[in-house]
Structures are given as C-alpha cells and as structure tokens.
Amino acid sequence: MKTTFFALCILFLISCNRPNKARLTEEVKASIATKFDQQAKATGTVYEIQSLDLTETEKNNYVGILETIENGESFTYELDVVTDGDSFVWKIVE
C-alpha cells in the first residue's frame, strides 16, 4: 500500500511539472501575436493568426506549424518551442 501511494505521489509530481499542451499553445500564440503586433506597427502589415499546432518531439521540446494571413496572403511557418513548464521560448525556423 505504501509503495502504491509513493508511486502515485511521484507520478503526480512529474505531471505537475509537465506543460499542458493546450495552455502552452495559447501562451505561445499570444507571444507571437505580441511580436507580430510590434512588427506590423513598424511595417504597416495587416496580419491574422489562423492557427498554431504544437507537437511534442521530446520532453519539453515542441515543433509547431503557424499559419497566418499577412496583407491578404497565406503564410506557413515552422516553429521550435522549448519550455520548462513555467516559461517558454519560441523561434521561427528559417
């Protein structure tokens, strides 16, 4: 009984530190929107984020596909995202 309880506690602690994919996707999307807003003001670009899909490649590392419309034209970008469960960094793969 104690072994089972101990194992459940460890699994709970591990899952608490694991990022929620849906939450991470929304946070990354908001961060991208902030960056795009800054660029849009500087360049006069009109853009809309259509979608962002993240796929975990290994623990705390994700690849993503970002689809946008910029000045009426469709664009697709590949992203790399790394998170520690509390914060993240993203970059567009060129």
Side-chain angles (χ1 to χ4, degrees):
M1 182 73 162
K2 288 182 182 181
T3 305
T4 303
F5 178 73
F6 182 70
L8 288 174
C9 288
I10 289 177
L11 288 173
F12 176 75
L13 291 173
I14 291 170
S15 68
C16 286
N17 198 28
R18 189 172 179 88
N20 176 303
K21 182 180 163 184
R23 183 187 58 145
L24 178 63
T25 300
E26 289 307 311
E27 289 176 357
V28 171
K29 190 174 179 180
S31 176
I32 292 168
T34 299
K35 180 71 172 178
F36 276 32
D37 283 345
Q38 294 169 347
Q39 292 175 341
K41 287 179 185 174
T43 62
T45 301
V46 176
Y47 82 94
E48 179 182 344
I49 295 176
Q50 294 291 296
S51 65
L52 173 61
D53 184 38
L54 296 179
T55 302
E56 189 171 22
T57 56
E58 51 187 82
K59 186 177 180 192
N60 296 335
N61 291 294
Y62 293 79
V63 294
I65 301 296
L66 172 68
E67 295 179 337
T68 66
I69 296 179
E70 299 169 33
N71 292 333
E73 195 174 338
S74 295
F75 290 88
T76 301
Y77 301 97
E78 185 177 333
L79 300 175
D80 283 333
V81 180
V82 179
T83 182
D84 64 3
D86 295 321
S87 60
F88 61 87
V89 293
W90 61 268
K91 70 175 181 175
I92 293 177
V93 178
E94 304 210 17

